Amino acid sequence: MSSKSDNTRLRSGAWRISLWATLAFAFGTSLVFAGLHRFVANDIQRRSDAWLSGEIEVLGDVAERTPKDRLYDRVVSEVAELASKEVPNKSRSEGNENDSVFFLQAEKSGPPRLWVGAGNGQANLDAIRASKVVPDVPFHLRVKGFDIPFRVVSVRIDDGSFIYLGLSERDELRVLRNLRLRFLSLGVLIVLFGFAIVFYATRRMLGHVREITEAASRIGQSDLSSRVPTTQYNDEVGNLARTLNRMLDRIESSVHQLHTITDSLAHDLRSPLTAIRGKLEISLSTGIRSEQAEPMIVSAIDELDRLTEFLNTSLDVAEAKADALRLSRSEIDLDELIRVMIDLYEPCMSERCLRIELRSAGAAKVFADAALLHRAVSNLLDNELKHLPASCTILIQLHVEEEVATLILEDDGPGFTEETGREMFEQRVKGRDSSGHGLGLAFVEAVVRAHGGVVTASNRPEGGARLVVTLPCAFERHDEQVQPLDMLAG
Amino acid sequence: MAYHRVMELLLVEDELEIQDFLKASLADAGYEVDVAGDGKTAESLASAKVYDALIVDLGLPDQDGIDLILRLRHLGVSSPVLILSARRSIDDRVRGLEQGGDDYLTKPFALAELLARLRNLLRRNVAATASPTFLRVVDLELDLLKRRASRGGELLNLSPQEFVLLEYLCRHAGRVVTRSMLLAEVWGMRIQPDTNVVDVHIYRLRGKVDTEGREPLIKTLRGVGYVLKER
């Protein structure tokens, strides 16, 4: 992080994502907890109710069977006392001997007949009478003077009185409170942990994005040659970086191409245009006889032809390099083509005391654009013609191997100089004494590449240049394209 | 030429400069030329009169030249067409030839080339004359069956390639043939070598045909091409 503003900008993204993620996480955890809490509460209540129902049955039984004498109260209270000691989830409040359970026997009205529990039972009885009671079904009871409600079950015995057994919900509430407390602290911990992880991960990811953004803006402003940083991971950000870099590669090469073209156009058009202009001006000037003017005009026309040719080739090369060459392919026998070419070039070669020799292994059919291939091959021979000193030999070899036609041009001339060798197929590179525009080999390379082949240039160890052109042979591809070609021919 | 009617041409070209110089030089070459500056005019002119050939520029102000040619063909105009264009891609060439144009020339072109191609077109149109078996230009004689050439009765020692070249020149005797025409017709190549390969062939041929003491027949037109003297 380079500056504070970057820091906040970065954070805002990471913060936002982390906050939302945490919120969702917390919400999910709360839902889980609520479900769990409900389940535990129900379970505890079910257990208390089961205990209450069991005990009230016993107590009712005892109350019914015990004779209603002096001892009745004692017997029943002792049984109730005993039962209260078997309270589930036993954890009594300190000090108070037994406020978690009460036993009450009462008529429809009047004071309690029998009371076992804390206090005199009047408050409990009032509360019971105030609420609607369904026998044998446990119900909730809030008693004045007690913070904690009771769970109460009632039964009616034969003498017409009611027996009530109440169990304080204190234990249940305590268990639930403990549960909540623990869950809350654990939940907060988990959520915080989750937040930290999400924040860290997002910050890392956004850090990469920020680096890419910074690099991209740097590139956009000035430096087209630098690239955005890439990660070794194959994730979205890594892909983004790699895609951007590939795009930049293409843009850079296009821009470079454009520069080269404009440069070469400026250079290669200006001087001949100046010459043409000068010649035409001279031929116009007074005091020049027409016999003197004529050669100047003729050479101006020559110059214009060369310019036109240069312009065409420049555009072809540029198109080929931009992979925009439109090929209308047909089957061409390279062997035949080379033979015709040699026939065409041989007089010119022998004029310059150059020997040309062909070693061909027979037909080599390729599926190519005739016009482009013709020009490419003639460019190769033109190139030899222009660069070779007298009494050299050009050896052309042609063979087919594994569905690839290989054309090798070797000579025993001076070979490529180091500098031409390096930028052989770039536009405008000329050999030292070259008179051409240096487009020849660039065009060859572009055409061959457009046909799926490769051109390599090197110097032979024994001296001289060696150009190797490979082109895929025509086999199956031929069949599938016959149709459109026929249509074109017709 | 077999007959002496003045050939009538329709030039469809919107650029005035080119229009003017083409019209002037075509008239100079003995043609009668009507000019149309756009497709509509061209259409009405071509349907009113039968021209021997049309010269059509592809970049017209109101429509594409190819569309115009198509429409004319549809209207029953069967005169051969020489297409002129500043477009240079192969695709357009194919398209142009495919759709009824009979030849194609990219701008800028040599005037002589235009005239040569035009003559070619017109000759093709006049009649697919029975190909002769014997050609004669001044004292140069070619026996096309025996593939033998002689000058003044003296047999010339020509290679098969040289014979084909000389035959092409004789067939076009008196007319300019450009280097690219020779490359296309004699060698079957659509190339523009930036070396003087064709000139060397002509030079050699000249060495055999125009020997010392004979009237030179093969003439070079600088910057344009060659012409075999007719008379």
Side-chain angles (χ1 to χ4, degrees):
Chain A
M1 260 150 280
S2 50
S3 68
K4 210 179 168 186
S5 74
D6 278 346
N7 215 341
T8 38
R9 211 186 323 139
L10 156 70
R11 270 215 187 119
S12 70
W15 269 113
R16 225 175 26 246
I17 294 173
S18 321
L19 274 177
W20 279 110
T22 311
L23 231 90
F25 189 48
F27 180 70
T29 344
S30 309
L31 270 182
V32 169
F33 169 67
L36 206 70
H37 187 272
R38 204 179 141 82
F39 172 75
V40 171
N42 285 345
D43 194 58
I44 292 176
Q45 190 152 74
R46 196 174 46 76
R47 281 202 221 175
S48 332
D49 290 352
W51 180 81
L52 279 172
S53 318
E55 287 305 316
I56 198 85
E57 210 176 298
V58 173
L59 283 171
D61 228 29
V62 170
E64 262 170 21
R65 289 189 190 172
T66 310
K68 306 285 182 291
D69 54 14
R70 224 172 9 97
L71 281 175
Y72 176 85
D73 283 11
R74 262 187 73 185
V75 171
V76 174
S77 21
E78 251 171 50
V79 172
E81 207 63 75
L82 220 67
S84 76
K85 283 181 181 147
E86 293 163 14
V87 173
N89 311 319
K90 203 186 309 182
S91 64
R92 303 231 166 114
S93 63
E94 315 80 40
N96 215 329
E97 73 278 36
N98 185 8
D99 60 353
S100 67
V101 177
F102 71 82
F103 172 80
L104 175 69
Q105 187 174 12
E107 312 289 335
K108 270 254 192 274
S109 56
R113 215 165 100 190
L114 190 62
W115 168 257
V116 181
N120 60 6
Q122 190 56 50
N124 298 52
L125 187 60
D126 292 346
I128 287 168
R129 287 192 175 138
S131 61
K132 275 187 193 151
V133 175
V134 183
D136 296 331
V137 177
F139 61 94
H140 236 11
L141 184 70
R142 283 209 161 267
V143 180
K144 227 173 162 184
F146 287 86
D147 299 336
I148 298 154
F150 287 89
R151 190 79 179 157
V152 179
V153 69
S154 70
V155 72
R156 187 194 160 116
I157 53 173
D158 292 346
D159 63 353
S161 66
F162 287 87
I163 287 179
Y164 300 96
L165 185 62
L167 177 64
S168 166
E169 289 182 354
R170 187 201 301 127
D171 292 320
E172 184 185 338
L173 292 180
R174 182 185 295 132
V175 168
L176 290 179
R177 200 178 60 236
N178 274 347
L179 191 69
R180 279 198 297 274
L181 219 80
R182 276 184 205 164
F183 200 92
L184 193 74
S185 47
L186 204 69
V188 165
L189 218 70
I190 287 175
V191 166
L192 278 179
F193 188 62
F195 175 82
I197 286 180
V198 172
F199 183 68
Y200 175 74
T202 358
R203 212 181 69 154
R204 254 186 72 111
M205 190 130 285
L206 291 182
H208 288 312
V209 173
R210 181 182 51 87
E211 278 168 27
I212 291 173
T213 312
E214 275 173 9
S217 79
R218 203 166 52 240
I219 292 163
Q221 276 157 16
S222 53
D223 183 13
L224 202 56
S225 64
S226 73
R227 292 289 175 268
V228 301
T230 51
T231 59
Q232 71 270 37
Y233 302 113
N234 204 16
D235 57 5
E236 288 85 348
V237 177
N239 279 337
L240 171 68
R242 278 186 290 277
T243 311
L244 270 176
N245 280 344
R246 273 198 299 276
M247 186 185 81
L248 285 168
D249 285 345
R250 264 203 85 119
I251 293 176
E252 194 192 3
S253 101
S254 299
V255 170
H256 178 72
Q257 193 65 34
L258 196 67
H259 278 311
T260 321
I261 293 169
T262 45
D263 279 0
S264 70
L265 281 184
H267 179 274
D268 288 326
L269 292 184
R270 278 207 182 111
S271 19
L273 280 176
T274 313
I276 293 165
R277 208 199 133 83
K279 280 170 191 165
L280 291 177
E281 268 184 79
I282 291 172
S283 60
L284 256 189
S285 59
T286 51
I288 288 259
R289 284 169 303 161
S290 65
E291 311 95 82
Q292 286 173 309
E294 198 185 289
M296 290 202 200
I297 294 173
V298 167
S299 91
I301 292 176
D302 274 351
E303 204 101 28
L304 280 172
D305 284 348
R306 269 204 296 281
L307 268 186
T308 307
E309 174 53 23
F310 165 73
L311 202 63
N312 285 341
T313 316
S314 288
L315 292 172
D316 279 342
V317 172
E319 259 184 20
K321 289 209 163 176
D323 295 324
L325 269 188
R326 281 168 289 191
L327 308 177
S328 56
R329 297 183 186 236
S330 57
E331 197 179 84
I332 297 168
D333 184 359
L334 262 182
D335 178 64
E336 202 186 309
L337 172 61
I338 300 287
R339 282 177 199 280
V340 176
M341 279 291 177
I342 289 178
D343 190 73
L344 176 63
Y345 274 83
E346 199 279 326
C348 204
M349 297 263 182
S350 60
E351 188 96 326
R352 283 173 216 194
C353 302
L354 300 174
R355 262 168 30 84
I356 186 159
E357 201 180 309
L358 173 67
R359 279 184 214 154
S360 171
K365 299 229 163 99
V366 292
F367 196 59
D369 185 297
L372 289 176
L373 194 62
H374 287 182
R375 284 176 62 193
V377 174
S378 91
N379 275 0
L380 285 174
L381 293 175
D382 277 340
N383 192 55
E384 298 284 6
L385 257 181
K386 279 184 283 185
H387 297 301
L388 279 187
S391 68
C392 285
T393 304
I394 303 154
L395 173 63
I396 300 178
Q397 297 171 72
L398 177 67
H399 61 264
V400 177
E401 220 167 72
E402 287 171 4
E403 308 198 359
V404 171
T406 308
L407 176 69
I408 305 170
L409 264 91
E410 287 177 334
D411 63 49
D412 51 3
F416 299 111
T417 60
E418 205 176 304
E419 94 199 83
T420 30
R422 226 181 299 118
E423 298 176 308
M424 180 65 57
F425 302 118
E426 293 299 312
Q427 235 156 314
R428 269 202 47 70
V429 173
K430 300 182 189 179
R432 216 175 290 135
D433 308 314
S434 161
S435 57
H437 284 287
L439 283 169
L441 288 181
F443 181 77
V444 172
E445 205 267 346
V447 167
V448 170
R449 206 162 50 98
H451 284 88
V454 179
V455 185
T456 46
S458 56
N459 281 329
R460 297 163 65 216
E462 56 269 51
R466 175 187 166 94
L467 273 162
V468 182
V469 178
T470 60
L471 280 170
C473 280
F475 285 114
E476 301 85 29
R477 300 180 67 185
H478 174 217
D479 298 333
E480 58 189 67
Q481 302 232 8
V482 160
Q483 211 61 23
L485 274 172
D486 281 350
M487 277 162 59
L488 286 188
Chain B
M1 284 280 149
Y3 55 97
H4 299 283
R5 182 173 70 83
V6 175
M7 294 273 186
E8 287 172 311
L9 305 176
L10 176 60
L11 172 63
V12 190
E13 163 72 65
D14 61 311
E15 277 168 68
L16 287 179
E17 293 249 340
I18 298 177
Q19 214 184 67
D20 285 350
F21 98 78
L22 275 184
K23 194 181 174 183
S25 39
L26 286 170
D28 235 29
Y31 297 104
E32 199 159 276
V33 188
D34 288 341
V35 182
D38 54 56
K40 212 172 254 173
T41 326
E43 219 177 300
S44 61
L45 281 173
S47 42
K49 184 162 144 191
V50 176
Y51 289 97
D52 294 288
L54 311 179
I55 302 172
V56 178
D57 179 58
L58 287 191
L60 293 175
D62 56 341
Q63 57 179 297
D64 191 273
I66 286 178
D67 293 336
L68 172 69
I69 295 167
L70 275 178
R71 177 122 14 90
L72 291 178
R73 288 275 183 255
H74 191 71
L75 290 172
V77 177
S78 60
S79 323
V81 179
L82 180 59
I83 297 173
L84 304 181
S85 174
R87 301 176 205 163
R88 38 167 282 289
S89 67
I90 289 147
D91 198 52
D92 285 343
R93 266 173 216 265
V94 173
R95 222 177 130 210
L97 289 173
E98 196 188 3
Q99 297 185 335
D102 290 317
D103 204 356
Y104 194 103
L105 207 54
T106 40
K107 290 177 184 173
F109 48 81
L111 201 53
E113 174 129 28
L114 176 98
L115 293 174
R117 281 175 190 250
L118 193 60
R119 274 192 212 105
N120 243 354
L121 272 186
L122 290 169
R123 194 179 57 118
R124 229 185 284 174
N125 192 37
V126 163
T129 43
S131 47
T133 56
F134 197 82
L135 290 175
R136 175 187 207 115
V137 179
V138 195
D139 56 346
L140 177 67
E141 291 172 348
L142 268 71
D143 184 335
L144 298 182
L145 291 178
K146 291 186 180 154
R147 313 299 286 169
R148 274 204 297 229
S150 60
R151 182 144 192 214
E154 202 177 305
L155 199 65
L156 300 176
N157 181 22
L158 301 180
S159 73
Q161 190 65 63
E162 286 166 339
F163 186 86
V164 175
L165 184 57
L166 187 59
E167 181 191 336
Y168 187 81
L169 287 172
C170 285
R171 282 182 188 277
H172 296 80
R175 298 196 290 268
V176 180
V177 273
T178 65
R179 288 179 183 81
S180 60
M181 281 165 80
L182 286 174
L183 281 167
E185 303 291 331
V186 178
W187 284 277
M189 306 257 167
R190 279 220 167 217
I191 56 174
Q192 299 100 17
D194 54 355
T195 46
N196 60 340
V197 280
V198 178
D199 303 276
V200 176
H201 279 275
I202 296 286
Y203 176 79
R204 284 198 169 183
L205 186 64
R206 193 182 276 145
K208 292 180 178 177
V209 175
D210 298 337
T211 42
E212 279 285 327
R214 290 189 196 277
E215 180 197 5
L217 290 178
I218 305 171
K219 207 184 150 203
T220 305
L221 298 176
R222 266 201 80 181
V224 178
Y226 307 95
V227 63
L228 190 74
K229 201 175 174 183
E230 204 168 8
R231 258 164 273 110

